[in-house]
Amino acid sequence: MTSRTRPGDAHPYLRAASAGVRHHTRALTPSEANPPRSADRMHLDVLHAHLTALLQLLDRLAENTRPAHPAAGCHLATAHTRLWQATSEVHSAFHLLPYDSAAEAEPSACHPEWLPEGPPVLTICQRHLAAGHIIRRKTTPTDLRAHTTACVR
C-alpha cells in the first residue's frame, strides 16, 4: 500500500491520517535504537481523538450507504459498533494509567480550568461522552454487549 496522493484522489486527508498512524506504529516498534515504551496518557488521548474522528466518519458512511446498499450499510454499522467498543477500551485504559503531573500540566501562567472545554485532562471524557451519545442513539445496549449486530451476510 502506498500513502502517496494520486491526482484526482478523493480522500487525500484520510490517506495522510492512515500514513501517520503507520509511521507512529513503526516509531513505537522496539529496536536497538528505540527501546520499548508503554502507553502514556498523552498517547491514549491522541489515539482516542483519532478513534472518535473515525467513528464520525464510519457513522456517516454507514448512514449514507444503507439506503442504496442495505447489506453493506449493515456491515458498516457493525464496524461502527466495534470501533466504539475499541474507543471505550482506550478511554478506560487512559484512566488506569498514572497521572504524570510534570508531563501533562506544564507550569505556566495559563489557567486550564478557565478553558471553555475544561481542563485538558478532562477533554478525553467530554469527547467520549459526546461520542457515546451518538452511539446510544443508533445502537442498542444488546449490540454493544454482544460485539456484533444482527447483520445477515
Side-chain angles (χ1 to χ4, degrees):
M1 283 179 72
T2 179
S3 62
R4 269 191 269 153
T5 303
R6 296 181 300 260
D9 190 358
H11 311 288
Y13 297 115
L14 189 56
R15 288 184 187 283
S18 297
V21 169
R22 284 191 303 273
H23 172 75
H24 191 70
T25 301
R26 281 192 302 270
L28 288 175
T29 302
S31 67
E32 285 184 30
N34 187 21
R37 289 186 354 207
S38 65
D40 60 17
R41 290 180 120 202
M42 296 300 279
H43 272 115
L44 293 186
D45 185 27
V46 173
L47 180 59
H48 188 270
H50 187 77
L51 290 173
T52 54
L54 283 173
L55 272 171
Q56 291 173 349
L57 176 61
L58 202 49
D59 181 44
R60 181 70 58 206
L61 284 171
E63 193 174 291
N64 293 347
T65 303
R66 187 170 252 158
H69 307 284
C74 189
H75 285 287
L76 290 174
T78 299
H80 184 256
T81 300
R82 290 180 180 164
L83 184 59
W84 165 252
Q85 291 162 341
T87 303
S88 188
E89 294 301 325
V90 168
H91 178 253
S92 296
F94 174 89
H95 287 294
L96 292 174
L97 290 176
Y99 178 75
D100 183 10
S101 60
E104 294 178 18
E106 295 175 359
S108 67
C110 75
H111 296 276
E113 65 275 7
W114 295 350
L115 295 172
E117 65 273 8
V121 76
L122 297 180
T123 57
I124 188 172
C125 296
Q126 292 171 341
R127 185 184 324 116
H128 196 70
L129 286 171
H133 176 72
I134 293 168
I135 289 291
R136 285 177 183 84
R137 281 187 312 149
K138 298 181 177 195
T139 310
T140 67
T142 304
D143 289 339
L144 291 174
R145 279 192 305 274
H147 297 278
T148 187
T149 60
C151 281
V152 177
R153 291 179 192 223

